[in-house]
Coordinates of all heavy atoms in Angstrom, one line a residue:
Chain Y
V500 N -25.4 6.1 2.0 CA -26.5 7.0 1.8 C -27.1 6.8 0.4 O -28.3 6.8 0.2 CB -26.0 8.5 2.0 CG1 -27.0 9.4 1.5 CG2 -25.6 8.7 3.4
A501 N -26.2 6.5 -0.6 CA -26.7 6.3 -1.9 C -27.6 5.0 -1.9 O -28.6 5.0 -2.6 CB -25.5 6.0 -2.9
A502 N -27.2 4.0 -1.2 CA -28.0 2.8 -1.1 C -29.3 3.1 -0.5 O -30.4 2.6 -1.0 CB -27.3 1.7 -0.3
L503 N -29.3 3.9 0.5 CA -30.6 4.2 1.2 C -31.5 5.0 0.3 O -32.7 4.7 0.1 CB -30.2 5.1 2.4 CG -31.3 5.3 3.4 CD1 -31.6 4.1 4.2 CD2 -31.0 6.5 4.4
L504 N -30.9 6.0 -0.4 CA -31.8 6.8 -1.3 C -32.3 6.0 -2.4 O -33.4 6.1 -2.9 CB -30.9 8.0 -1.8 CG -30.8 9.2 -0.9 CD1 -29.9 10.2 -1.6 CD2 -32.1 9.7 -0.5
T505 N -31.4 5.1 -2.9 CA -31.9 4.2 -4.1 C -33.0 3.3 -3.6 O -34.0 3.2 -4.3 CB -30.7 3.3 -4.5 OG1 -29.6 4.1 -4.7 CG2 -31.1 2.6 -5.8
Y506 N -32.9 2.8 -2.4 CA -34.0 1.9 -1.9 C -35.3 2.8 -1.8 O -36.3 2.3 -2.3 CB -33.6 1.4 -0.5 CG -34.6 0.5 0.1 CD1 -34.6 -0.9 -0.2 CD2 -35.6 0.9 0.9 CE1 -35.5 -1.8 0.3 CE2 -36.6 0.1 1.4 CZ -36.5 -1.3 1.1 OH -37.4 -2.2 1.7
G507 N -35.2 4.0 -1.2 CA -36.4 4.8 -1.1 C -37.0 5.1 -2.5 O -38.2 5.0 -2.7
A508 N -36.1 5.5 -3.4 CA -36.6 6.0 -4.7 C -37.3 4.8 -5.4 O -38.3 4.9 -6.0 CB -35.4 6.5 -5.5
V509 N -36.6 3.6 -5.4 CA -37.2 2.5 -6.1 C -38.6 2.1 -5.5 O -39.5 1.8 -6.2 CB -36.2 1.3 -6.0 CG1 -36.9 0.0 -6.5 CG2 -35.0 1.6 -6.9
T510 N -38.6 2.1 -4.1 CA -39.9 1.8 -3.5 C -41.0 2.8 -3.9 O -42.1 2.4 -4.2 CB -39.7 1.8 -2.0 OG1 -38.6 1.0 -1.7 CG2 -40.9 1.3 -1.3
L511 N -40.6 4.1 -3.8 CA -41.6 5.1 -4.1 C -42.1 5.0 -5.6 O -43.2 5.1 -5.9 CB -41.1 6.5 -3.8 CG -42.1 7.6 -3.7 CD1 -43.1 7.3 -2.6 CD2 -41.4 8.9 -3.5
L512 N -41.1 4.8 -6.5 CA -41.4 4.7 -7.9 C -42.3 3.4 -8.1 O -43.1 3.4 -9.0 CB -40.2 4.6 -8.7 CG -39.5 6.0 -8.9 CD1 -38.1 5.8 -9.5 CD2 -40.3 6.9 -9.7
G513 N -42.0 2.4 -7.4 CA -42.8 1.2 -7.5 C -44.3 1.5 -7.2 O -45.2 0.9 -7.9
W514 N -44.5 2.4 -6.3 CA -45.9 2.8 -6.0 C -46.4 3.7 -7.0 O -47.5 3.6 -7.5 CB -46.0 3.4 -4.6 CG -47.3 3.9 -4.3 CD1 -48.4 3.2 -4.0 CD2 -47.7 5.3 -4.2 NE1 -49.5 4.1 -3.8 CE2 -49.0 5.3 -3.9 CE3 -47.0 6.5 -4.4 CZ2 -49.7 6.5 -3.8 CZ3 -47.7 7.7 -4.3 CH2 -49.0 7.7 -4.0
A515 N -45.6 4.8 -7.3 CA -46.1 5.9 -8.1 C -46.2 5.5 -9.6 O -47.2 5.8 -10.3 CB -45.2 7.1 -8.0
T516 N -45.2 4.8 -10.2 CA -45.2 4.6 -11.6 C -45.2 3.1 -11.9 O -45.0 2.7 -13.0 CB -44.0 5.2 -12.3 OG1 -42.9 4.6 -11.8 CG2 -43.9 6.7 -12.0
N517 N -45.4 2.3 -10.9 CA -45.5 0.8 -11.0 C -44.1 0.3 -11.6 O -44.1 -0.6 -12.4 CB -46.6 0.5 -12.0 CG -47.1 -0.9 -11.7 OD1 -46.8 -1.5 -10.6 ND2 -47.8 -1.5 -12.7
F518 N -43.1 1.0 -11.1 CA -41.7 0.5 -11.5 C -41.4 -0.8 -10.8 O -41.6 -0.8 -9.5 CB -40.7 1.6 -11.2 CG -39.3 1.1 -11.3 CD1 -38.8 0.9 -12.6 CD2 -38.5 0.9 -10.2 CE1 -37.5 0.4 -12.7 CE2 -37.2 0.5 -10.4 CZ -36.7 0.2 -11.6
R519 N -41.0 -1.8 -11.5 CA -40.7 -3.1 -10.8 C -39.3 -3.4 -11.0 O -38.7 -3.3 -12.1 CB -41.6 -4.2 -11.4 CG -43.0 -4.2 -10.8 CD -44.0 -4.8 -11.8 NE -45.3 -4.4 -11.3 CZ -46.1 -5.2 -10.6 NH1 -45.6 -6.3 -10.2 NH2 -47.3 -4.8 -10.3
L520 N -38.7 -3.9 -10.0 CA -37.3 -4.2 -10.0 C -37.1 -5.6 -10.6 O -37.7 -6.6 -10.1 CB -36.8 -4.2 -8.5 CG -35.3 -4.0 -8.3 CD1 -34.9 -2.7 -9.0 CD2 -35.0 -3.9 -6.8
T521 N -36.4 -5.7 -11.7 CA -36.2 -7.0 -12.3 C -34.7 -7.4 -12.1 O -33.9 -6.6 -11.5 CB -36.4 -6.9 -13.8 OG1 -35.5 -6.0 -14.4 CG2 -37.8 -6.6 -14.1
M522 N -34.4 -8.6 -12.5 CA -33.0 -9.0 -12.4 C -32.0 -8.1 -13.1 O -31.0 -7.7 -12.5 CB -32.9 -10.4 -13.0 CG -31.8 -11.2 -12.5 SD -32.0 -11.6 -10.8 CE -30.5 -10.9 -10.2
A523 N -32.4 -7.6 -14.3 CA -31.5 -6.7 -15.0 C -31.4 -5.4 -14.2 O -30.3 -4.8 -14.1 CB -32.1 -6.4 -16.3
G524 N -32.5 -5.0 -13.5 CA -32.4 -3.8 -12.7 C -31.5 -4.0 -11.5 O -30.7 -3.1 -11.2
V525 N -31.6 -5.1 -10.9 CA -30.7 -5.4 -9.7 C -29.2 -5.4 -10.2 O -28.4 -4.8 -9.5 CB -31.0 -6.8 -9.1 CG1 -30.0 -7.2 -8.1 CG2 -32.4 -6.7 -8.5
T526 N -29.0 -5.9 -11.4 CA -27.6 -5.9 -11.9 C -27.2 -4.5 -12.1 O -26.0 -4.1 -11.8 CB -27.5 -6.7 -13.2 OG1 -28.3 -7.9 -13.0 CG2 -26.1 -7.1 -13.5

Side-chain angles (χ1 to χ4, degrees):
Chain Y
V500 173
L503 192 73
L504 282 181
T505 310
Y506 184 87
V509 168
T510 309
L511 196 62
L512 284 171
W514 173 74
T516 64
N517 208 17
F518 170 70
R519 279 155 197 263
L520 205 53
T521 59
M522 203 63 236
V525 171
T526 321

